[in-house]
Amino acid sequence: MSRRLLLGSAAAGSALFGSRLQAADYVTVLTGGTSGVYYPLGVALAKIYGDTIPDARTSAQATKASVENLNLLQQGKGEIAFTLGDSLIDAWNGREEAGFPKKLDKLRGVAAIYSNYIQVVASKESGIASIADLKGKALSVGAPKSGTELNARAVLAAAGMSYDDLGKIEYLPFAESVELMKNRQLDATLQSAGLGVASIRDLATSVPITVVPIEAALIEQIGQPFYAATVPAGTYDGQDSDVPTAAVPNYLVTHSDVPDETAYQMTAQLFGHLDQLASAHAAAKAIRLEDALNGMPLPLHPGAERFYDEKGMKR
């Protein structure tokens, strides 16, 4: 096929959609570590987009998750990203201590999706049964300045603690944290992810664990966007009862330089293929169109807004 014919086909496709969507548009989905929930969902989302958005070249990129994802979007290095709600608020407000030296003003909302549960998991032999029991113990808090690590700081601060109160601190991704726990080099790991995260399931099948409660009074100290939730009994091997914990919403976010039609298609195809996402990870079963605008802390992308307008949904 000649270059002229290819270009002609691309122009026809763009005209058909009446937008700036062009041939060879890239749709890179920014995810998280490969042992978390963002990654399998991102891989599934990239496949959905590749199958349904005309002429788009799609890929899923493993990252350090929320904070890195938002900074990459601001730089135009990706088209859509997963992020925790508290990181998104910090990025929009330019909170330097959270990893955002200035306001990330190009960020635009796509959808609220499922919630992350802050899961503090300790080895049974550590004797850790509460957040206060973490004093003097070895804890992994996720990659530096990741969304998980920011969650760890928030939980400890609400309990009147800091990293200085711990015996040892490790900044490791989920899978590496679990390996150290299996080898008795860590007492506990804090992981902010959907329920049933693969790394904790792996840990629970290898060593006896305790899912450490985060009580409602502590969550009130943290404040919005955190809220009280439950890790249901049986989520992990050896977890025989419900455990109270904190949860925080996740969002899909894009940036202002993404063409309107691309953002429209990314939003429409997300909600048109929720079954495929749920097949990739059970956390996606909690994604609902009626909740898509809940708590959105920044402006929607015009393309996403058009989709919601068509559904009769307003912020």
Side-chain angles (χ1 to χ4, degrees), residues 7 26 61 93 133 162 198 216 223 235-236 269 276 284 299 308:
L7 292 173
Y26 288 88
Q61 180 176 329
N93 292 328
D133 291 339
S162 72
T235 300
Y236 302 107
Q269 302 309 332
Q276 287 178 243
Y308 296 121

Side-chain angles (χ1 to χ4, degrees), residues 123-280:
S123 64
K124 271 206 185 298
E125 69 178 19
S126 71
I128 296 169
S130 69
I131 296 299
D133 291 339
L134 291 171
K135 287 184 178 179
K137 301 293 187 178
L139 173 70
S140 178
V141 294
K145 293 189 175 178
S146 63
T148 291
E149 201 250 320
L150 295 180
N151 286 176
R153 290 179 183 272
V155 168
L156 291 173
M161 299 165 60
S162 72
Y163 288 170
D164 290 340
D165 294 303
L166 302 174
K168 181 182 179 183
I169 190 80
E170 293 283 3
Y171 300 89
L172 295 171
F174 294 173
E176 292 177 35
S177 301
V178 163
E179 289 307 310
L180 287 187
M181 287 187 69
K182 288 180 185 179
N183 295 329
R184 293 180 168 80
Q185 294 174 274
L186 273 179
D187 297 307
T189 175
L190 183 149
Q191 303 195 3
S192 183
L195 290 175
V197 63
S199 53
I200 299 177
R201 284 193 284 110
D202 174 37
L203 177 65
T205 60
S206 303
V207 299
I209 65 164
T210 299
V211 181
V212 180
I214 301 177
E215 304 293 349
L218 191 149
I219 298 165
E220 287 179 17
Q221 287 288 112
I222 304 174
Q224 293 293 330
F226 295 83
Y227 64 92
T230 300
V231 181
T235 300
Y236 302 107
D237 284 359
Q239 183 207 341
D240 299 327
S241 59
D242 292 350
V243 178
T245 194
V248 61
N250 282 292
Y251 293 87
L252 282 169
V253 184
T254 185
H255 63 84
S256 55
D257 293 335
V258 169
D260 289 358
E261 182 65 23
T262 304
Y264 173 85
Q265 290 291 337
M266 290 193 303
T267 312
Q269 302 309 332
L270 163 70
F271 288 106
H273 297 84
L274 290 178
D275 55 340
Q276 287 178 243
L277 287 178
S279 295

Side-chain angles (χ1 to χ4, degrees), residues 72-143:
L72 287 171
L73 282 183
Q74 178 73 14
Q75 298 163 27
K77 297 178 180 178
E79 284 63 52
I80 190 166
F82 291 80
T83 181
L84 281 165
D86 57 328
S87 297
L88 183 56
I89 291 169
D90 289 340
W92 189 245
N93 292 328
R95 184 169 167 250
E96 186 169 3
E97 57 268 36
F100 308 106
K102 62 180 182 179
K103 177 186 176 78
L104 302 191
D105 58 353
K106 289 189 174 184
L107 300 180
R108 297 293 182 270
V110 173
I113 45 174
Y114 66 96
S115 288
N116 263 26
Y117 291 70
I118 301 175
Q119 298 163 80
V120 181
V121 179
S123 64
K124 271 206 185 298
E125 69 178 19
S126 71
I128 296 169
S130 69
I131 296 299
D133 291 339
L134 291 171
K135 287 184 178 179
K137 301 293 187 178
L139 173 70
S140 178
V141 294

Side-chain angles (χ1 to χ4, degrees), residues 17-19 260-265 300-313:
F17 281 87
S19 71
D260 289 358
E261 182 65 23
T262 304
Y264 173 85
Q265 290 291 337
L300 288 170
H301 191 290
E305 191 165 24
R306 175 161 69 90
F307 171 78
Y308 296 121
D309 285 346
E310 290 176 357
K311 297 296 182 181
M313 297 172 62

